[in-house]
Each structure stands twice: as C-alpha cells, then as structure tokens.
Amino acid sequence: MALPAQLRAIQHHLRTAQEHEKRDPVVTYYCRLYAMQTGMKLDSKTPECRKFLVKLMDQLELMKKELSENDSITQEVVGNAHIENYALKLFLYSDNEDRAGRFHKNMIKSFYTSSLLMDVLSVFGELSDENIQHRKYARWKATYIHNCLKNGETPQSGPIGMDEDEEAEFGAEGFSGQSFSHGGSFRADQNQNQDQGPAPGIGFAQDPGSGPTGPPASNYNNIQIPPGAHAPANTPAELPPPAGEAGKPVAAARSVPAVDPSLLNAQQQGGVQLSPEDFTKAQKYCKYAGSALQYEDVGTAIQNLQKALKLLTTGKE
C-alpha cells in the first residue's frame, strides 16, 4: 500500500523501520509507533490515510505481541534508552568521520538516521534541549555534506555555518532518500533493502524529489557532543570502521574508568530520602549500562552503574 501524499513527512521514519526489521526490531517498532502517532496528527480523516494508519496500527499490535518478552517494548524507560543509545551512537560515528575529513555515503546516512531517531524519541515524552540540538545539527550536516559531494565540492569538517532557522530548509518532508545519488551512493543500498521486500501490508511510494540545494552558510558553533555515559563510542555493527593507512582499520581507543573504591561495599547512608525522580534516574542509569554492554562498551557500563550506586547511596548525582 502506497503512502498517501498527506503523510509524506513520515516516509523516512517508515523506511528506517523497514531497514531495521531484521537487525533491530525494537528500532523498527518505535519508528512505526512514531509514524503512526505523527500520521494521526497529520491526517486521520481522509479514507486513504485512515486505511494506511489502520494497517500500521495492526502491524504495531502484531509486533507488540511478538516482542512481548522484550523489556525495550514492555518498559518505556528501557525502550527510551535503547533508541537514544543507538541514535547517539550513529551521531558519534558520523561526527568522528566528519571531523576526520572522511566524507562518504555511510556517514551521511548515519547523520540523517540519527536525526530521524531523535524524532522517534518524542514517543517517550518531550525531547531534551540536547537531543533537539543534536537532531538539528545531524540533519543539517547530512544535507550539507551530501550537497557538497553532489556538486563536486569538499565539505568543511565540524560545526561550521548553520543559522538558527536553517532547519526549515531541509526538514524531513524535503529530504528524499533518493537524493543520495553521488557516486551511486544510497541507491544501491535502497535496492538491497527493497529486495528483502516491504513489511507485510505496509509500504510507501518513493518520493522522486531531491533534497535542497546549496550548502548552508552561517554560524552554528555551539554543538555539544553527546556525553560518553549515554553513547557507546564504537561504531555501529552495520557500518564499516574508518580506514587508516594502507586501508587498515583504525581501532577506537576505549579507556575503562577506575572503579570508585567507596562504591565497592556501598550501603545507603542514614537519613537519605530518595524521591520518585531519583529512582527513575537510577533505573535509567542501569538501563543505559545494560544497553552499553550490548555494544561491548565496558567503560560506559561502569560509568552508569557507578552513577546509579552513588545516587542510591547518597541521594546525590
């Protein structure tokens, strides 16, 4: 079933869902949940939109049953940590490639996908200012680098040139997956995904349009790189590692933080009163640690577990 034109704004979130269907069903589920919620706001009255959204709801219900034993689906705090970790992981991979002057299709797609996943985080509540900033920067950077390569220009690395209202020029509605055509870049990837077939009952027509032209030029120098406690630094499994001299992979240095001796035999201090917010924060730290271990990021796991212990024993972060 083709995506109605009125719901065009969610087409890339649905594509991201389809691309992750086998390798990360949790990402697929929340991308479709975001698409459904956003689609309801866009147009739930016209027959074609209502029919599409009903099929999407049915698909979500089926996934929810299939993943009924997955904590990332049954517990919002775990799902939030899963999506945020993955989004920031993609962001860090792309940002590291960008600052090293390595411009290629995977880093462009990773920048843009991270911005889409920042959208998806809104299903858990209002986005933090930090995530809003990362979303804006990642979406702009993907467009800027793509346009530079398309025009045969060399992009500038790092947070250069972006106006506060620049995002309006390249929002999700105007950024087409098909616009990635430099050097045959994303078209091959898309064909590969299409060979796997669309999700049952849900599909959408390709947007033949292309992304905006002309690299943004202004000032946006206050981008804050995500804290390591929330973003494993190793690159995503589906993306190739950066190549060093003679094509040899560059191993990312991972430092394991020292364990605070005072926490080894931690007991709650007398008189400490924990608020509901404290328990929620401690739970998030533990979930972040668990998510980090999925990426074999020991340092991030230790940092988060120590934060949780300190909060629970002292009532302070």
Side-chain angles (χ1 to χ4, degrees), residues 32-101:
R32 286 179 179 152
L33 179 61
Y34 170 84
M36 188 271 291
Q37 291 180 352
T38 304
M40 293 291 289
K41 296 175 185 176
L42 291 172
D43 188 341
S44 61
K45 296 181 179 180
T46 57
E48 64 269 26
C49 289
R50 189 185 303 116
K51 186 177 180 180
F52 184 91
L53 292 171
V54 166
K55 280 189 172 293
L56 190 55
M57 289 179 195
D58 291 342
Q59 194 173 37
L60 282 167
E61 284 301 315
L62 180 60
M63 287 194 72
K64 196 169 185 179
K65 291 179 181 178
E66 293 174 346
L67 300 172
S68 60
E69 296 183 2
N70 190 316
D71 287 346
S72 293
I73 302 300
T74 59
Q75 299 182 45
E76 281 197 358
V77 67
V78 187
N80 191 342
H82 186 103
I83 300 300
E84 186 173 22
N85 264 330
Y86 185 55
L88 294 179
K89 187 180 181 185
L90 290 175
F91 182 96
L92 281 182
Y93 165 77
S94 304
D95 189 67
N96 288 337
E97 291 293 277
D98 174 50
R99 291 171 188 268

Side-chain angles (χ1 to χ4, degrees), residues 214-276:
S218 183
N219 184 20
Y220 192 75
N221 297 317
N222 296 322
I223 184 68
Q224 299 294 319
I225 299 304
H230 299 282
N234 51 326
T235 58
E238 68 274 18
L239 299 175
E245 295 182 5
K248 294 181 180 179
V250 177
R254 288 194 288 177
S255 58
V256 178
V259 177
D260 185 349
S262 66
L263 297 176
L264 293 177
N265 296 303
Q267 293 184 349
Q268 190 176 39
Q269 297 176 2
V272 173
Q273 296 292 327
L274 297 177
S275 66

Side-chain angles (χ1 to χ4, degrees), residues 105-154:
K105 62 178 182 179
N106 279 324
M107 61 93 72
I108 297 173
K109 188 172 185 180
S110 291
F111 259 138
Y112 192 63
T113 301
S114 74
S115 77
L116 296 176
L117 293 175
M118 294 294 178
D119 290 337
V120 173
L121 284 174
S122 65
V123 303
F124 303 106
E126 190 173 345
L127 293 183
S128 67
D129 290 340
E130 183 181 56
N131 284 339
I132 290 173
Q133 190 179 42
H134 290 143
R135 177 180 64 181
K136 184 174 183 179
Y137 179 76
R139 193 163 291 167
W140 164 75
K141 200 69 178 177
T143 306
Y144 166 64
I145 296 173
H146 163 67
N147 286 335
C148 283
L149 297 181
K150 182 180 178 181
N151 297 327
E153 302 169 355
T154 301

